[in-house]
Amino acid sequence: MGQDQECQYLCSHVTDRKSVKRAQKLVDDGYVVDWIVDNLPGATSFVTVDRSHKYYAAGFKLGYKAFSEDTGKPRYFINNHLTLVLRWRRAPGRAGDNGGKVIVGFEVYTKSMEAGSRDSAGCPRDVHADSSGLELYIAPNNTNLASKYPSSSYLPEEDEDDDGSTLTIPYSYSVYFREDDRIEWSKRWDLYFNNQEESSSIHWLAILNSLVICGLLTAVVVMIVNRTLSGDVKGYAKEGPLEEGMMKLKRKKPRNGTKSPRLGEKSPAGLLDQKPDASQDNDFSSDDESLEDITGWKLLHGDVFRPPRNAGLLAPLIGSGMQLLFMTTALLILGCSGLLNPSFRGGLTALLFPGLLFSTIFILNLVVWAQASSTALPFGTLVALIALWLLIQLPLVYVGSWYGYHSSQPYDHPTKTNSIPRPIPEQSWYTKRIYTILLTGLVPFAVIFIELLFVFRSLWQDKSGYYYVFGFLSVVSLVCLITVIEITIVATYVQLCAENYNWWWQSLFVGGASSFWVFLYCVWFYLTKLHMKGFISGLLFFSYSFLACTVYGLLMGTVGFLTAYVFVRRIYGAIKAD
């Protein structure tokens, strides 16, 4: 530490024709090398056009491509000499008083040096002199090619057959330590994010696009609430109680002197388990009937809170979605406050979604292990994830469910449920589930698709930078959340007006419908922007993309379900129903 090294020979690597071809392909694809010192990635330093400030790009080029002046064909060179510049300053606090030092910058400067003109230690005689570079090239073996193609007058310049020819690549490096008091320890990552300021105008465009779409939806929701719902609720509140069917009826007192329970009376059943009340079927006097054409959502007051099918699956999905919602909100808050930093690497509700998620990641990690990839999660990390799940998340879920079951009161619906389900009339094409989900999912997707492009580039394409514009991401996420709330209200209102009371699962699907379009966006990005080859690469991309879309869909679906439930309770709690 603190000692400069002008040149240090590292090793010499002997490679054959096949390996040279693979190295040429890696250079042609722009592969970068990642080194880490004190949790800082080795960076390539850049300066802005106006030379006002510099910024870092994580990693350094494996090599570079040039074109021959004579033939115009590409030539590939490997960077076999690296100059490492470690910037340091005194450590903060007591450690600095005791002589401690911390690394605040790690810069890597690359150079290609020919194999000749080296001293006895293996280092170039002058590491600062201009060099023609070490080309990744092995001259063809004409003798071998002539014997391979005896009847041909043309001999190919390249042949992939291993004829024993090799290329020796010597590696060396230089190290320089430079004190730099201008960079604070807490801000040493800032240089990796400065280059993102140049794309801020596009982020603002994404926010403007989101606000326009959200504003139009807000106008639609306000029109529904103020003009349609408020008028209907006030009208029927003045006319008196609503009765089952197409008429407004007065209740006849039963002969036994007892009163039948009203629909507005409380029920001790839970949110998804309230059962129909058979006592609601009463005799009425035909003399007191006055016909009135009642249509739309008002007719569903006796069925709108009917328990959905597979309620035992819906409940844990909503519970998992709530966990994801709180976790995502906390991460965005930490990211905006600067506490979330790239330097930090690495019941049925408790078992259903987390178990499926972990199992999928574990299987994918086995595939990556089999390929000997450096992106595989270490075994210790997997053990830590299992421990967090089984020892922290699982017990907390069961403690919370026990406390909620014994200490809290169940939700009471504002109306009772009839004993006989009301038949659902034939639905228009746009109110059918598949079309509703596809159409409503387009709107939230239109809000986030621009910002998604930056996220995809950071994850899959641009490995030299980090996505750290959490301020823009938080604003777009908030607008997307509001959009999902509004589109769910509109879709639920249209569904109820079509006299379809099966809104429970529908609201979950409508809220998470944009995840389908996000996955199609991933497919488009893979086919048009990425140049991945091989089955394993495609499998990993689509598997992780599917997991991310599933998490996003469940999160937004939970928001849609809660929105629809509050909306339905609000409108049916405002009318009188006997």
Side-chain angles (χ1 to χ4, degrees), residues 148-197:
K148 185 176 181 180
Y149 306 100
S151 59
S152 175
S153 60
Y154 170 77
L155 297 179
E157 297 182 2
E158 298 181 359
D159 189 77
E160 295 184 357
D161 289 346
D162 187 9
D163 58 354
S165 301
T166 60
L167 174 67
T168 301
I169 305 175
Y171 290 94
S172 57
Y173 65 93
S174 304
V175 182
Y176 299 97
F177 292 87
R178 294 294 180 265
E179 184 177 5
D180 195 337
D181 293 331
R182 298 170 298 175
I183 305 175
E184 298 289 341
W185 161 258
S186 60
K187 298 181 179 180
R188 62 178 188 162
W189 278 87
D190 289 358
L191 289 175
Y192 293 89
F193 310 135
N194 282 343
N195 60 328
Q196 298 183 4
E197 296 177 358

Side-chain angles (χ1 to χ4, degrees), residues 396-412:
L396 287 178
V397 168
Y398 279 105
V399 170
S401 61
W402 178 87
Y403 178 81
Y405 182 78
H406 291 282
S407 302
S408 62
Q409 297 296 325
Y411 278 12
D412 293 323

Side-chain angles (χ1 to χ4, degrees), residues 400-444:
S401 61
W402 178 87
Y403 178 81
Y405 182 78
H406 291 282
S407 302
S408 62
Q409 297 296 325
Y411 278 12
D412 293 323
H413 300 318
T415 60
K416 283 189 176 181
T417 303
N418 296 335
S419 58
I420 301 177
R422 179 184 180 84
I424 300 176
E426 183 69 21
Q427 301 292 296
S428 303
W429 69 269
Y430 58 86
T431 59
K432 293 182 179 180
R433 174 167 294 180
I434 183 64
Y435 297 111
T436 300
I437 293 174
L438 292 177
L439 292 176
T440 55
L442 272 174
V443 182

Side-chain angles (χ1 to χ4, degrees), residues 299-538:
L299 290 175
L300 304 181
H301 61 82
D303 297 273
V304 72
F305 292 108
R306 187 176 301 280
R309 295 180 180 179
N310 302 316
L313 177 62
L314 179 61
L317 287 178
I318 299 302
S320 299
M322 288 298 298
Q323 294 177 357
L324 294 173
L325 180 61
F326 282 109
M327 180 196 69
T328 305
T329 303
L331 288 177
L332 287 177
I333 293 175
L334 291 175
C336 292
S337 61
L339 297 178
L340 185 63
N341 196 291
S343 60
F344 302 113
R345 300 176 185 268
L348 190 56
T349 302
L351 295 173
L352 177 64
F353 188 75
L356 293 175
L357 189 64
F358 177 80
S359 300
T360 306
I361 293 178
F362 181 75
I363 294 174
L364 291 176
N365 208 61
L366 291 179
V367 175
V368 176
W369 272 342
Q371 296 294 316
S373 173
S374 60
T375 60
L377 292 176
F379 181 75
T381 302
L382 292 177
V383 173
L385 291 175
I386 295 177
L388 287 174
W389 174 31
L390 297 180
L391 301 180
I392 297 180
Q393 194 258 357
L394 186 64
L396 287 178
V397 168
Y398 279 105
V399 170
S401 61
W402 178 87
Y403 178 81
Y405 182 78
H406 291 282
S407 302
S408 62
Q409 297 296 325
Y411 278 12
D412 293 323
H413 300 318
T415 60
K416 283 189 176 181
T417 303
N418 296 335
S419 58
I420 301 177
R422 179 184 180 84
I424 300 176
E426 183 69 21
Q427 301 292 296
S428 303
W429 69 269
Y430 58 86
T431 59
K432 293 182 179 180
R433 174 167 294 180
I434 183 64
Y435 297 111
T436 300
I437 293 174
L438 292 177
L439 292 176
T440 55
L442 272 174
V443 182
F445 172 73
V447 170
I448 62 174
F449 82 98
I450 297 179
E451 196 66 29
L452 274 180
L453 185 60
F454 289 95
V455 177
F456 287 171
R457 285 177 178 175
S458 178
L459 288 176
W460 300 106
Q461 199 171 32
D462 185 11
K463 293 300 183 181
S464 61
Y466 297 92
Y467 184 87
Y468 201 65
V469 283
F470 288 105
F472 290 108
L473 181 62
S474 299
V475 173
V476 173
S477 300
L478 179 61
V479 177
C480 179
L481 193 71
I482 298 174
T483 304
V484 169
I485 292 174
E486 294 175 340
I487 198 67
T488 304
I489 292 175
V490 174
T492 304
Y493 175 73
V494 171
Q495 181 183 3
L496 295 178
C497 287
E499 300 182 22
N500 184 356
Y501 50 83
N502 294 322
W503 59 270
W504 303 83
W505 282 100
Q506 179 95 341
S507 61
L508 179 70
F509 294 144
V510 167
S514 57
S515 61
F516 171 76
W517 297 104
V518 172
F519 187 76
L520 291 184
Y521 196 47
C522 294
V523 176
W524 170 84
F525 189 81
Y526 178 85
L527 296 176
T528 60
K529 301 296 181 180
L530 299 181
H531 303 286
M532 291 184 177
K533 295 182 179 179
F535 173 76
I536 299 300
S537 298

